[in-house]
Amino acid sequence: MLFRTWAEPAGTPWPDVARVADHVGVDHLVVTRHALVRQVLTDPVTYRPDNALDAVTPMPVAALRVLAGHRFRLPPTLANNGGLSHPGIRAAVAEALHPTRVAAQRPWLTALVRERVGRIGAALDAGAAVDLHAGLAADLPLLVLARLVELPDAPVAAVKDFARAALELFWAPLDADRQLALATEVGRFHGVLREFATTGGGLAASLRSAGHPPDVVVGALFFLLVAGQETTSQFLTLLLHRLAGEPAVRAGLRDRTVAAADVVEEGLRLEPPIVTWRRVAAADTVLGRTAVPAGTSVVLWLARAGRDPSVVDLPDEFRPGQRGSRRHLAFGAGAHRCVGDQLARMEAAVVVDEVAPLLDGVTVVRPPWCPDNLTFRMPDAFVVRRPGPQVALRALSS
């Protein structure tokens, strides 16, 4: 269950706090209620972020040696940093992703999406099957992020492969052979980031000038390449898949009775790319009515909190603009709330505005499939086809 929480049927009853063992026998407290999830996220003293980037499958010696050979380290920087350095690092990243700078990217992104929509529309009109993940959503967030923070000049495919490998290495149930292969890939790209941390401009230069050591600069870049772009590409794919099955919402977008921004928020509530997040109890405490000993791993079920009936009127229905829709916790809360939330929202709103009309009349050939993972959805494809005249004629005569 821990590694496929998004597959839980809607309405399945769960206690507010449940003890669940993972694939290696480690117990976790899974928190499902919106109020309790938010309580943990906003209390960094009782519930620390130290375990946020810990590998859920303990790494064998061989994989650790590979990482050590690449001088791989993840010091406390952003998500796993509960120390005094966190505000300064976060402020540098927030400046790079300032809403004004994000808004300035919208015209460029809109033009790029329109160009792709034109090609995809022509292919669909010709009866071809199109993968909207690979052909549209996969690299868009990375291209925008690169403009904002001056990421290293590495091939897009290499960065995407690295990011997905990192998500799998640290958050998936794995065997030793797979861990070794992933450690090799992650370690190798870590070297690219380490070199860029000492010479690059943009965000890297800002962190260096603030006195942060190279390992911290590398750690910040590492997390940005995972959380700053990969999760958004996942969300775009999941949102488009959801929209393909919501004709009434698409009709509302056409006649402007539904706003793209509201569609994005409802998508974040029902189809978040990050379904859980972790904290560790720093002291003996009580959560709700459950005793939480110090050292307990706490898994916050963000996606479940978004369906809490005490927060949203119709928790299992896609109703943009409904009461409580924007109270989701897809971006977290508190001191570690996602610093790129405005960037993700802008990218998703552009895609909804430009791509939703393409979904009229399409048939889903291949829905997104997501591998087992504690935290991330990681859809692999979303293939659609629009039946052409000959296809439709054959369907009518059969």
Side-chain angles (χ1 to χ4, degrees), residues 5-63:
T5 53
W6 58 86
E8 284 284 299
T12 303
W14 269 83
D16 294 356
V17 181
R19 188 173 299 278
V20 179
D22 66 17
H23 62 304
V24 294
V26 175
D27 281 344
H28 306 267
L29 284 185
V30 178
V31 186
T32 66
R33 291 301 294 247
H34 185 282
L36 296 180
V37 171
R38 184 174 179 82
Q39 176 184 331
V40 172
L41 288 171
T42 55
D43 182 357
V45 175
T46 308
Y47 303 98
R48 292 186 57 82
D50 305 19
N51 64 339
L53 306 186
D54 288 355
V56 298
T57 303
M59 290 196 197
V61 172

Short mmCIF file of all heavy atoms in Angstrom, two decimals, residues 5-63:
data_model
loop_
_atom_site.label_atom_id
_atom_site.label_comp_id
_atom_site.label_asym_id
_atom_site.label_seq_id
_atom_site.Cartn_x
_atom_site.Cartn_y
_atom_site.Cartn_z
N THR A 5 -0.05 4.50 -3.15
CA THR A 5 -1.15 5.15 -2.44
C THR A 5 -2.16 5.78 -3.39
O THR A 5 -3.34 5.91 -3.05
CB THR A 5 -0.62 6.24 -1.49
OG1 THR A 5 0.23 7.13 -2.21
CG2 THR A 5 0.17 5.62 -0.34
N TRP A 6 -1.72 6.20 -4.58
CA TRP A 6 -2.62 6.83 -5.53
C TRP A 6 -3.64 5.82 -6.09
O TRP A 6 -4.64 6.23 -6.69
CB TRP A 6 -1.84 7.46 -6.69
CG TRP A 6 -0.98 6.47 -7.42
CD1 TRP A 6 -1.35 5.65 -8.45
CD2 TRP A 6 0.39 6.18 -7.15
NE1 TRP A 6 -0.29 4.88 -8.84
CE2 TRP A 6 0.79 5.18 -8.06
CE3 TRP A 6 1.32 6.68 -6.24
CZ2 TRP A 6 2.09 4.66 -8.09
CZ3 TRP A 6 2.62 6.17 -6.26
CH2 TRP A 6 2.99 5.18 -7.17
N ALA A 7 -3.38 4.52 -5.92
CA ALA A 7 -4.27 3.49 -6.46
C ALA A 7 -5.37 3.09 -5.47
O ALA A 7 -6.23 2.28 -5.80
CB ALA A 7 -3.46 2.25 -6.85
N GLU A 8 -5.34 3.65 -4.26
CA GLU A 8 -6.38 3.36 -3.27
C GLU A 8 -7.73 3.84 -3.80
O GLU A 8 -7.87 5.01 -4.19
CB GLU A 8 -6.08 4.05 -1.95
CG GLU A 8 -4.99 3.39 -1.14
CD GLU A 8 -5.46 2.13 -0.45
OE1 GLU A 8 -6.39 2.20 0.38
OE2 GLU A 8 -4.90 1.06 -0.76
N PRO A 9 -8.74 2.99 -3.84
CA PRO A 9 -10.06 3.42 -4.34
C PRO A 9 -10.61 4.59 -3.54
O PRO A 9 -10.45 4.66 -2.32
CB PRO A 9 -10.93 2.16 -4.16
CG PRO A 9 -9.97 1.02 -4.10
CD PRO A 9 -8.73 1.57 -3.45
N ALA A 10 -11.25 5.50 -4.24
CA ALA A 10 -11.87 6.65 -3.57
C ALA A 10 -12.89 6.16 -2.56
O ALA A 10 -13.65 5.22 -2.82
CB ALA A 10 -12.54 7.56 -4.60
N GLY A 11 -12.89 6.77 -1.40
CA GLY A 11 -13.85 6.42 -0.37
C GLY A 11 -13.43 5.29 0.54
O GLY A 11 -14.14 4.95 1.49
N THR A 12 -12.26 4.67 0.26
CA THR A 12 -11.78 3.62 1.15
C THR A 12 -11.52 4.21 2.54
O THR A 12 -10.79 5.19 2.66
CB THR A 12 -10.47 3.00 0.61
OG1 THR A 12 -10.70 2.50 -0.70
CG2 THR A 12 -9.99 1.88 1.51
N PRO A 13 -12.13 3.64 3.58
CA PRO A 13 -11.95 4.23 4.91
C PRO A 13 -10.53 4.04 5.44
O PRO A 13 -9.92 2.98 5.26
CB PRO A 13 -12.97 3.48 5.77
CG PRO A 13 -13.19 2.18 5.06
CD PRO A 13 -13.03 2.48 3.60
N TRP A 14 -10.01 5.07 6.09
CA TRP A 14 -8.71 5.03 6.74
C TRP A 14 -8.81 5.77 8.06
O TRP A 14 -9.48 6.79 8.15
CB TRP A 14 -7.65 5.71 5.86
CG TRP A 14 -6.96 4.77 4.92
CD1 TRP A 14 -7.42 4.36 3.70
CD2 TRP A 14 -5.71 4.13 5.13
NE1 TRP A 14 -6.52 3.50 3.14
CE2 TRP A 14 -5.46 3.33 3.98
CE3 TRP A 14 -4.78 4.13 6.17
CZ2 TRP A 14 -4.31 2.55 3.86
CZ3 TRP A 14 -3.63 3.36 6.04
CH2 TRP A 14 -3.42 2.57 4.90
N PRO A 15 -8.10 5.28 9.07
CA PRO A 15 -8.05 6.05 10.33
C PRO A 15 -7.25 7.33 10.13
O PRO A 15 -6.50 7.47 9.15
CB PRO A 15 -7.35 5.09 11.30
CG PRO A 15 -6.57 4.15 10.42
CD PRO A 15 -7.36 4.01 9.16
N ASP A 16 -7.40 8.25 11.06
CA ASP A 16 -6.65 9.51 10.97
C ASP A 16 -5.14 9.26 10.97
O ASP A 16 -4.39 9.93 10.27
CB ASP A 16 -7.00 10.42 12.14
CG ASP A 16 -8.44 10.88 12.10
OD1 ASP A 16 -9.15 10.55 11.13
OD2 ASP A 16 -8.86 11.57 13.05
N VAL A 17 -4.70 8.31 11.79
CA VAL A 17 -3.29 7.93 11.87
C VAL A 17 -3.24 6.41 11.92
O VAL A 17 -3.92 5.78 12.73
CB VAL A 17 -2.61 8.52 13.13
CG1 VAL A 17 -1.14 8.13 13.18
CG2 VAL A 17 -2.76 10.04 13.17
N ALA A 18 -2.44 5.81 11.03
CA ALA A 18 -2.36 4.36 10.95
C ALA A 18 -0.90 3.92 10.96
O ALA A 18 -0.05 4.57 10.34
CB ALA A 18 -3.05 3.85 9.69
N ARG A 19 -0.63 2.81 11.63
CA ARG A 19 0.72 2.26 11.62
C ARG A 19 0.83 1.24 10.49
O ARG A 19 0.04 0.29 10.42
CB ARG A 19 1.04 1.59 12.96
CG ARG A 19 2.50 1.17 13.10
CD ARG A 19 2.79 0.67 14.51
NE ARG A 19 2.57 1.70 15.51
CZ ARG A 19 3.45 2.65 15.83
NH1 ARG A 19 4.63 2.69 15.20
NH2 ARG A 19 3.17 3.54 16.75
N VAL A 20 1.79 1.45 9.59
CA VAL A 20 1.95 0.60 8.41
C VAL A 20 3.42 0.22 8.28
O VAL A 20 4.31 1.08 8.39
CB VAL A 20 1.49 1.32 7.12
CG1 VAL A 20 1.68 0.41 5.91
CG2 VAL A 20 0.02 1.73 7.25
N ALA A 21 3.68 -1.06 8.04
CA ALA A 21 5.05 -1.53 7.83
C ALA A 21 5.38 -1.48 6.35
O ALA A 21 4.54 -1.78 5.49
CB ALA A 21 5.22 -2.94 8.36
N ASP A 22 6.62 -1.11 6.02
CA ASP A 22 7.03 -1.06 4.62
C ASP A 22 7.62 -2.41 4.18
O ASP A 22 7.55 -3.41 4.89
CB ASP A 22 8.00 0.09 4.37
CG ASP A 22 9.34 -0.07 5.07
OD1 ASP A 22 9.68 -1.19 5.48
OD2 ASP A 22 10.06 0.95 5.20
N HIS A 23 8.23 -2.43 3.00
CA HIS A 23 8.70 -3.66 2.38
C HIS A 23 9.90 -4.28 3.09
O HIS A 23 10.22 -5.45 2.87
CB HIS A 23 9.06 -3.39 0.92
CG HIS A 23 10.17 -2.40 0.75
ND1 HIS A 23 10.12 -1.13 1.29
CD2 HIS A 23 11.38 -2.48 0.11
CE1 HIS A 23 11.23 -0.48 0.99
NE2 HIS A 23 12.00 -1.28 0.28
N VAL A 24 10.57 -3.50 3.94
CA VAL A 24 11.70 -4.06 4.69
C VAL A 24 11.38 -4.18 6.18
O VAL A 24 12.26 -4.40 7.00
CB VAL A 24 12.98 -3.21 4.49
CG1 VAL A 24 13.45 -3.29 3.04
CG2 VAL A 24 12.77 -1.76 4.93
N GLY A 25 10.10 -4.01 6.54
CA GLY A 25 9.67 -4.22 7.90
C GLY A 25 9.74 -3.02 8.81
O GLY A 25 9.52 -3.14 10.03
N VAL A 26 10.04 -1.85 8.27
CA VAL A 26 10.09 -0.63 9.07
C VAL A 26 8.68 -0.07 9.24
O VAL A 26 7.94 0.06 8.26
CB VAL A 26 11.01 0.42 8.42
CG1 VAL A 26 10.96 1.74 9.19
CG2 VAL A 26 12.43 -0.10 8.33
N ASP A 27 8.31 0.25 10.47
CA ASP A 27 6.99 0.83 10.74
C ASP A 27 6.98 2.33 10.48
O ASP A 27 7.95 3.04 10.80
CB ASP A 27 6.59 0.58 12.20
CG ASP A 27 6.07 -0.82 12.43
OD1 ASP A 27 5.74 -1.51 11.44
OD2 ASP A 27 5.99 -1.24 13.60
N HIS A 28 5.88 2.80 9.91
CA HIS A 28 5.66 4.23 9.69
C HIS A 28 4.28 4.59 10.20
O HIS A 28 3.35 3.77 10.13
CB HIS A 28 5.74 4.58 8.20
CG HIS A 28 6.99 4.14 7.52
ND1 HIS A 28 8.10 4.94 7.40
CD2 HIS A 28 7.31 2.95 6.94
CE1 HIS A 28 9.05 4.28 6.75
NE2 HIS A 28 8.60 3.07 6.46
N LEU A 29 4.13 5.79 10.69
CA LEU A 29 2.80 6.31 11.01
C LEU A 29 2.30 7.08 9.80
O LEU A 29 2.90 8.10 9.41
CB LEU A 29 2.84 7.22 12.24
CG LEU A 29 2.97 6.54 13.60
CD1 LEU A 29 2.86 7.58 14.71
CD2 LEU A 29 1.90 5.47 13.79
N VAL A 30 1.23 6.61 9.19
CA VAL A 30 0.65 7.25 8.02
C VAL A 30 -0.47 8.17 8.49
O VAL A 30 -1.43 7.73 9.14
CB VAL A 30 0.11 6.21 7.02
CG1 VAL A 30 -0.54 6.90 5.83
CG2 VAL A 30 1.24 5.29 6.56
N VAL A 31 -0.37 9.46 8.15
CA VAL A 31 -1.32 10.48 8.60
C VAL A 31 -2.20 10.86 7.41
O VAL A 31 -1.68 11.22 6.34
CB VAL A 31 -0.58 11.72 9.13
CG1 VAL A 31 -1.58 12.72 9.72
CG2 VAL A 31 0.45 11.31 10.18
N THR A 32 -3.52 10.79 7.59
CA THR A 32 -4.44 10.96 6.47
C THR A 32 -5.30 12.22 6.54
O THR A 32 -5.73 12.72 5.51
CB THR A 32 -5.40 9.75 6.38
OG1 THR A 32 -6.23 9.72 7.54
CG2 THR A 32 -4.61 8.44 6.29
N ARG A 33 -5.56 12.73 7.74
CA ARG A 33 -6.48 13.87 7.86
C ARG A 33 -5.77 15.18 7.56
O ARG A 33 -4.64 15.41 7.98
CB ARG A 33 -7.08 13.92 9.28
CG ARG A 33 -8.04 12.79 9.59
CD ARG A 33 -9.21 12.79 8.62
NE ARG A 33 -10.04 13.97 8.78
CZ ARG A 33 -11.27 13.94 9.23
NH1 ARG A 33 -11.85 12.79 9.55
NH2 ARG A 33 -11.97 15.06 9.35
N HIS A 34 -6.47 16.06 6.87
CA HIS A 34 -5.91 17.34 6.45
C HIS A 34 -5.36 18.12 7.63
O HIS A 34 -4.21 18.61 7.59
CB HIS A 34 -6.99 18.14 5.73
CG HIS A 34 -6.52 19.44 5.14
ND1 HIS A 34 -6.31 20.57 5.90
CD2 HIS A 34 -6.19 19.78 3.87
CE1 HIS A 34 -5.91 21.55 5.13
NE2 HIS A 34 -5.82 21.10 3.88
N ALA A 35 -6.12 18.24 8.69
CA ALA A 35 -5.70 19.05 9.84
C ALA A 35 -4.44 18.49 10.47
O ALA A 35 -3.55 19.25 10.88
CB ALA A 35 -6.82 19.15 10.86
N LEU A 36 -4.34 17.16 10.58
CA LEU A 36 -3.17 16.55 11.20
C LEU A 36 -1.95 16.62 10.30
O LEU A 36 -0.83 16.84 10.79
CB LEU A 36 -3.48 15.10 11.58
CG LEU A 36 -4.57 14.90 12.64
CD1 LEU A 36 -4.77 13.41 12.91
CD2 LEU A 36 -4.22 15.64 13.92
N VAL A 37 -2.14 16.44 9.00
CA VAL A 37 -1.02 16.58 8.06
C VAL A 37 -0.47 18.00 8.13
O VAL A 37 0.75 18.21 8.21
CB VAL A 37 -1.47 16.24 6.63
CG1 VAL A 37 -0.38 16.61 5.62
CG2 VAL A 37 -1.81 14.76 6.50
N ARG A 38 -1.36 18.97 8.14
CA ARG A 38 -0.92 20.36 8.22
C ARG A 38 -0.24 20.65 9.56
O ARG A 38 0.76 21.38 9.62
CB ARG A 38 -2.11 21.30 8.02
CG ARG A 38 -1.72 22.77 7.99
CD ARG A 38 -2.87 23.67 7.65
NE ARG A 38 -2.43 25.05 7.66
CZ ARG A 38 -1.81 25.66 6.67
NH1 ARG A 38 -1.54 24.99 5.55
NH2 ARG A 38 -1.43 26.91 6.77
N GLN A 39 -0.74 20.06 10.64
CA GLN A 39 -0.13 20.26 11.95
C GLN A 39 1.32 19.79 11.95
O GLN A 39 2.20 20.48 12.48
CB GLN A 39 -0.93 19.47 13.01
CG GLN A 39 -0.32 19.53 14.41
CD GLN A 39 -1.09 18.67 15.39
OE1 GLN A 39 -2.29 18.45 15.25
NE2 GLN A 39 -0.39 18.16 16.40
N VAL A 40 1.57 18.64 11.36
CA VAL A 40 2.94 18.12 11.31
C VAL A 40 3.83 19.02 10.45
O VAL A 40 4.95 19.37 10.84
CB VAL A 40 2.95 16.68 10.78
CG1 VAL A 40 4.39 16.20 10.55
CG2 VAL A 40 2.24 15.75 11.75
N LEU A 41 3.34 19.41 9.29
CA LEU A 41 4.14 20.22 8.38
C LEU A 41 4.51 21.58 8.96
O LEU A 41 5.56 22.13 8.64
CB LEU A 41 3.39 20.42 7.06
CG LEU A 41 3.28 19.20 6.15
CD1 LEU A 41 2.33 19.49 4.99
CD2 LEU A 41 4.65 18.78 5.61
N THR A 42 3.66 22.11 9.80
CA THR A 42 3.88 23.45 10.34
C THR A 42 4.52 23.45 11.72
O THR A 42 4.62 24.49 12.36
CB THR A 42 2.57 24.25 10.38
OG1 THR A 42 1.59 23.51 11.12
CG2 THR A 42 2.04 24.50 8.97
N ASP A 43 4.98 22.27 12.17
CA ASP A 43 5.64 22.16 13.48
C ASP A 43 7.03 21.55 13.28
O ASP A 43 7.23 20.35 13.52
CB ASP A 43 4.81 21.31 14.43
CG ASP A 43 5.43 21.20 15.83
OD1 ASP A 43 6.53 21.74 16.03
OD2 ASP A 43 4.82 20.55 16.69
N PRO A 44 8.01 22.36 12.84
CA PRO A 44 9.34 21.82 12.55
C PRO A 44 10.15 21.47 13.79
O PRO A 44 11.23 20.87 13.66
CB PRO A 44 10.00 22.96 11.77
CG PRO A 44 9.36 24.20 12.29
CD PRO A 44 7.93 23.82 12.57
N VAL A 45 9.67 21.82 14.96
CA VAL A 45 10.38 21.48 16.20
C VAL A 45 10.06 20.04 16.61
O VAL A 45 10.95 19.24 16.90
CB VAL A 45 10.02 22.46 17.32
CG1 VAL A 45 10.67 22.03 18.63
CG2 VAL A 45 10.46 23.88 16.95
N THR A 46 8.78 19.71 16.62
CA THR A 46 8.36 18.36 17.01
C THR A 46 8.60 17.35 15.90
O THR A 46 8.96 16.20 16.17
CB THR A 46 6.87 18.36 17.40
OG1 THR A 46 6.63 19.38 18.37
CG2 THR A 46 6.45 17.01 17.97
N TYR A 47 8.38 17.78 14.65
CA TYR A 47 8.52 16.89 13.50
C TYR A 47 9.57 17.46 12.55
O TYR A 47 9.31 18.44 11.84
CB TYR A 47 7.18 16.72 12.79
CG TYR A 47 6.09 16.21 13.70
CD1 TYR A 47 5.18 17.10 14.29
CD2 TYR A 47 5.97 14.86 13.99
CE1 TYR A 47 4.18 16.64 15.13
CE2 TYR A 47 4.97 14.40 14.83
CZ TYR A 47 4.08 15.29 15.40
OH TYR A 47 3.10 14.82 16.24
N ARG A 48 10.72 16.86 12.55
CA ARG A 48 11.84 17.41 11.78
C ARG A 48 11.88 16.83 10.36
O ARG A 48 11.39 15.72 10.11
CB ARG A 48 13.16 17.12 12.50
CG ARG A 48 13.30 17.90 13.81
CD ARG A 48 14.68 17.72 14.43
NE ARG A 48 15.74 18.10 13.52
CZ ARG A 48 16.16 19.35 13.31
NH1 ARG A 48 15.57 20.35 13.95
NH2 ARG A 48 17.14 19.61 12.48
N PRO A 49 12.53 17.57 9.42
CA PRO A 49 12.60 17.11 8.03
C PRO A 49 13.83 16.26 7.73
O PRO A 49 14.11 15.99 6.57
CB PRO A 49 12.65 18.43 7.27
CG PRO A 49 13.45 19.33 8.16
CD PRO A 49 13.03 18.95 9.57
N ASP A 50 14.55 15.83 8.76
CA ASP A 50 15.85 15.19 8.56
C ASP A 50 15.79 13.96 7.65
O ASP A 50 16.77 13.63 6.97
CB ASP A 50 16.45 14.78 9.91
CG ASP A 50 16.57 15.93 10.89
OD1 ASP A 50 15.90 16.95 10.70
OD2 ASP A 50 17.34 15.81 11.86
N ASN A 51 14.66 13.24 7.65
CA ASN A 51 14.57 12.00 6.88
C ASN A 51 13.94 12.18 5.50
O ASN A 51 13.66 11.20 4.81
CB ASN A 51 13.75 10.95 7.66
CG ASN A 51 12.30 11.37 7.86
OD1 ASN A 51 11.97 12.56 7.77
ND2 ASN A 51 11.44 10.41 8.14
N ALA A 52 13.73 13.43 5.09
CA ALA A 52 12.99 13.69 3.85
C ALA A 52 13.64 13.05 2.63
O ALA A 52 12.95 12.63 1.69
CB ALA A 52 12.82 15.19 3.63
N LEU A 53 14.97 12.99 2.61
CA LEU A 53 15.68 12.44 1.45
C LEU A 53 16.36 11.11 1.75
O LEU A 53 17.17 10.64 0.94
CB LEU A 53 16.73 13.45 0.95
CG LEU A 53 16.23 14.87 0.63
CD1 LEU A 53 17.35 15.69 0.01
CD2 LEU A 53 15.02 14.84 -0.29
N ASP A 54 16.01 10.48 2.86
CA ASP A 54 16.59 9.17 3.17
C ASP A 54 16.06 8.12 2.19
O ASP A 54 14.87 8.14 1.83
CB ASP A 54 16.22 8.74 4.59
CG ASP A 54 16.97 9.53 5.65
OD1 ASP A 54 17.84 10.34 5.28
OD2 ASP A 54 16.67 9.33 6.85
N ALA A 55 16.91 7.19 1.77
CA ALA A 55 16.48 6.11 0.89
C ALA A 55 15.53 5.19 1.64
O ALA A 55 15.85 4.70 2.73
CB ALA A 55 17.69 5.34 0.38
N VAL A 56 14.36 4.92 1.05
CA VAL A 56 13.40 4.06 1.73
C VAL A 56 13.82 2.59 1.66
O VAL A 56 13.37 1.79 2.49
CB VAL A 56 11.98 4.23 1.15
CG1 VAL A 56 11.48 5.65 1.35
CG2 VAL A 56 11.92 3.84 -0.31
N THR A 57 14.65 2.24 0.69
CA THR A 57 15.26 0.91 0.66
C THR A 57 16.72 1.07 1.08
O THR A 57 17.49 1.73 0.37
CB THR A 57 15.20 0.30 -0.75
OG1 THR A 57 13.84 0.23 -1.19
CG2 THR A 57 15.79 -1.11 -0.75
N PRO A 58 17.11 0.53 2.22
CA PRO A 58 18.50 0.70 2.67
C PRO A 58 19.47 0.26 1.57
O PRO A 58 19.30 -0.78 0.93
CB PRO A 58 18.59 -0.23 3.89
CG PRO A 58 17.18 -0.31 4.39
CD PRO A 58 16.31 -0.26 3.18
N MET A 59 20.49 1.09 1.34
CA MET A 59 21.41 0.82 0.23
C MET A 59 22.46 -0.20 0.63
O MET A 59 23.05 -0.11 1.71
CB MET A 59 22.08 2.12 -0.22
CG MET A 59 21.14 3.07 -0.91
SD MET A 59 22.03 4.35 -1.81
CE MET A 59 20.72 5.55 -2.03
N PRO A 60 22.74 -1.16 -0.26
CA PRO A 60 23.80 -2.12 0.01
C PRO A 60 25.17 -1.47 -0.09
O PRO A 60 25.32 -0.38 -0.67
CB PRO A 60 23.61 -3.17 -1.08
CG PRO A 60 22.95 -2.44 -2.20
CD PRO A 60 22.08 -1.40 -1.55
N VAL A 61 26.17 -2.13 0.44
CA VAL A 61 27.53 -1.58 0.46
C VAL A 61 28.01 -1.25 -0.94
O VAL A 61 28.65 -0.22 -1.17
CB VAL A 61 28.49 -2.57 1.16
CG1 VAL A 61 29.93 -2.10 1.03
CG2 VAL A 61 28.12 -2.70 2.63
N ALA A 62 27.70 -2.11 -1.91
CA ALA A 62 28.18 -1.88 -3.27
C ALA A 62 27.66 -0.55 -3.83
O ALA A 62 28.42 0.21 -4.47
CB ALA A 62 27.76 -3.03 -4.18
N ALA A 63 26.39 -0.25 -3.61
CA ALA A 63 25.81 1.01 -4.09
C ALA A 63 26.40 2.19 -3.35
O ALA A 63 26.69 3.24 -3.95
CB ALA A 63 24.30 0.98 -3.94
#
